[in-house]
Amino acid sequence: MSTPSTDAPLSGRRAQAARNDAVILDAAREVFMAAPDAPVSAVAHAAGVGISALYRRYASKEELLATLCLDGLRRFVEIARAARDTADPWGAFEALLRGVVDADVHSLTVHLAGRFAPTPEHGALAEEAGRLAGEILRRAQDARAVRSDVVDTDLPMVYEQLAAIRLGGPARDAALRRRYLELHLASLRADAEAHGALPGHGPSQAELGARWQREAGTGAAR
Amino acid sequence: MSTPSTDAPLSGRRAQAARNDAVILDAAREVFMAAPDAPVSAVAHAAGVGISALYRRYASKEELLATLCLDGLRRFVEIARAARDTADPWGAFEALLRGVVDADVHSLTVHLAGRFAPTPEHGALAEEAGRLAGEILRRAQDARAVRSDVVDTDLPMVYEQLAAIRLGGPARDAALRRRYLELHLASLRADAEAHGALPGHGPSQAELGARWQREAGTGAAR
DNA sequence: ACATGTGCGGAACGGAACGTTCCGCTACTG
DNA sequence: CAGTAGCGGAACGTTCCGTTCCGCACATGT
């Protein structure tokens, strides 16, 4: 909340506003990652600004969430691209999962889905993300590094499970997720297949896509 | 909503009321398992009764949740006892996890915790449940069936992760959970330890116990 | 047959939470 | 020095939900 005007060409009020842009988005990310249905006032409080500063930038809560989700999708694609460029097939697969879990990117995407009307850009990025992850998985399976009976739609389910780990602060949760990611990785290795094939089949694209539809509250009948 | 008076000594109005006891509790279980913060009216609707029928039996929503949770803890203990009586150490371990996940008992216990003031009976049952699970785990580890670097507090985290799988109806979710439970089981086997030890340490009892404390809403600051 | 009270449906009530708007102030800008 | 961009936070209107309450229907006991 200081460093008056050394890092930007703008000064005074204008600079403060520019800085607030980032502060607010960071606060929103932190707050909504911890609680997707947190009130807008919580974001303002976390950012150390008033509510007006928020509504000056985003027309509605929905727009803020859509922006945040877009940001998350871009992070996912970035992580996936970096992972894909890893030479070793298992290394690439491992990098993908570790990257996604470490950045907690799942909380920024799927957990926000259904709370705003998705734009075409959301769709395009989600598709690209799926394509990259699928490529990494296929390569790892072709190299007999990852068991052959997992499918690409199983991966979001792994993220989903790890994102459900919420016990302490963000730091403690990150440590716990690393611990349990290690277990997931062990179960996905090719040699784990020796103990038996996976029953049933992974989610369909339709089942995964259904989350992006706007739906009311908690899902219980009125 | 029929069979007038053939299965109970009571008849007419009295029998209907007795039957409603079960209908309401079943409806409450179904509704709150799907959405822990569902409104009371949703339970009444699912049970096909009015709200009065509900409040005649439970003084408050909190009391209903406490009853439901007690019910869940008893189920857990029952499942754990049956598993413990399995001769094969790995079989017992497997039976425990399969039983807990199949009955979706986690949604009935921990997901309800924090929404009501726990009674001493909740504490006693939770302790008994922990004792049984710990015994089963230790036996499986002593037999070198389960990897040595998992601890008893890791098990609730496995349930937690599997309970987070919510895509379609209850039936589809159960099938998906069975699929991913298979992965978890593979990762917990002793031979999975060859690929490396688990980083960090499992949750402490204090971390797990903190969920039973009453806390406001979603966790975001006001 | 009739008075009685139990059990219940669902409207009504009171309060809490939240998204959004609006007023007024501050301090840069030109 | 007038004008205004940016903002803090109170206020507003709405939605949601737990709980209460009123009146009805029917089984029960005489």
Side-chain angles (χ1 to χ4, degrees):
Chain A
M1 298 185 191
S2 34
T3 58
S5 61
T6 48
D7 64 318
L10 301 171
S11 67
R13 201 64 177 276
R14 215 71 66 82
Q16 175 70 274
R19 236 172 293 126
N20 276 356
D21 283 353
V23 169
I24 287 177
L25 204 64
D26 285 347
R29 186 164 30 242
E30 186 182 359
V31 167
F32 287 128
M33 266 180 32
D37 54 355
V40 171
S41 60
V43 176
H45 180 80
V49 302
I51 298 181
S52 295
L54 224 148
Y55 273 92
R56 168 154 294 272
R57 292 164 175 77
Y58 305 95
S60 64
K61 182 183 190 176
E62 183 172 337
E63 193 178 303
L64 173 57
L65 290 176
T67 303
L68 221 47
C69 182
L70 221 51
D71 182 49
L73 286 169
R74 289 203 198 92
R75 286 175 187 227
F76 184 102
V77 168
E78 193 180 358
I79 290 168
R81 269 204 251 268
R84 185 194 49 180
D85 294 343
T86 303
D88 173 43
W90 170 260
F93 183 75
E94 198 176 339
L96 173 65
L97 270 78
R98 281 193 204 281
V100 169
V101 172
D102 263 7
D104 199 8
V105 135
H106 191 74
S107 297
L108 274 181
T109 55
V110 178
H111 280 187
L112 258 37
R115 296 170 189 281
F116 60 91
T119 67
E121 197 173 354
H122 288 100
L125 277 170
E127 202 182 344
E128 169 73 357
R131 190 170 19 251
L132 284 166
E135 183 185 333
I136 292 171
L137 172 63
R138 183 158 17 83
R139 198 147 55 92
Q141 285 179 318
D142 287 347
R144 306 232 183 276
V146 167
R147 56 191 297 168
S148 65
D149 55 356
V150 305
V151 296
D152 55 355
T153 53
D154 284 324
L155 296 187
M157 293 292 96
V158 172
Y159 310 145
E160 180 90 16
Q161 290 181 70
L162 286 164
I165 293 174
R166 288 156 180 265
L167 270 193
R172 177 64 176 133
D173 287 346
L176 283 170
R177 288 196 189 111
R178 270 191 291 274
R179 178 178 178 85
Y180 297 110
L181 172 57
E182 216 62 41
L183 283 176
H184 282 278
L185 285 172
S187 72
L188 293 169
R189 296 189 109 105
D191 53 5
E193 200 171 354
H195 292 297
L198 293 181
H201 47 81
S204 67
Q205 292 292 349
E207 283 176 314
L208 287 180
R211 314 200 224 187
W212 292 84
Q213 249 71 43
R214 191 93 106 300
E215 61 187 318
T218 52
R222 78 216 113 100
Chain B
M1 299 173 199
S2 35
T3 57
S5 60
T6 48
D7 64 316
L10 301 170
S11 68
R13 202 61 175 277
R14 217 71 67 80
Q16 175 71 276
R19 234 171 293 126
N20 275 357
D21 284 352
V23 170
I24 288 177
L25 205 63
D26 285 347
R29 185 162 33 239
E30 186 181 0
V31 167
F32 286 128
M33 266 180 34
D37 54 355
V40 171
S41 61
V43 176
H45 180 79
V49 302
I51 298 180
S52 297
L54 223 149
Y55 272 92
R56 169 153 295 272
R57 291 165 176 76
Y58 305 95
S60 66
K61 182 182 191 177
E62 182 172 335
E63 191 178 306
L64 172 58
L65 290 176
T67 302
L68 222 47
C69 182
L70 222 49
D71 183 49
L73 286 169
R74 288 202 199 91
R75 286 176 187 227
F76 185 102
V77 169
E78 192 180 359
I79 290 168
R81 269 205 254 265
R84 184 195 49 180
D85 294 345
T86 303
D88 174 45
W90 170 262
F93 183 74
E94 200 176 340
L96 172 67
L97 272 89
R98 282 194 203 282
V100 169
V101 172
D102 263 8
D104 199 7
V105 135
H106 192 74
S107 298
L108 275 180
T109 54
V110 177
H111 280 186
L112 259 35
R115 296 169 190 281
F116 60 90
T119 66
E121 196 172 357
H122 288 100
L125 277 170
E127 201 184 344
E128 169 73 358
R131 190 170 17 248
L132 285 166
E135 184 185 332
I136 292 172
L137 173 63
R138 185 158 15 86
R139 198 145 56 93
Q141 285 179 318
D142 287 348
R144 307 232 183 274
V146 167
R147 56 192 297 167
S148 66
D149 54 356
V150 305
V151 295
D152 55 356
T153 53
D154 284 323
L155 297 187
M157 293 293 95
V158 172
Y159 310 144
E160 180 90 15
Q161 289 181 72
L162 286 164
I165 293 175
R166 290 157 179 263
L167 270 193
R172 178 65 176 130
D173 287 346
L176 283 170
R177 289 197 188 113
R178 269 190 292 274
R179 179 176 176 85
Y180 298 110
L181 172 57
E182 215 63 41
L183 283 175
H184 281 280
L185 284 172
S187 73
L188 293 169
R189 295 188 109 105
D191 53 6
E193 199 170 354
H195 291 295
L198 294 180
H201 47 82
S204 67
Q205 292 292 349
E207 283 175 313
L208 289 180
R211 313 201 226 189
W212 292 86
Q213 250 70 45
R214 190 90 108 301
E215 60 186 319
T218 52
R222 77 212 115 101

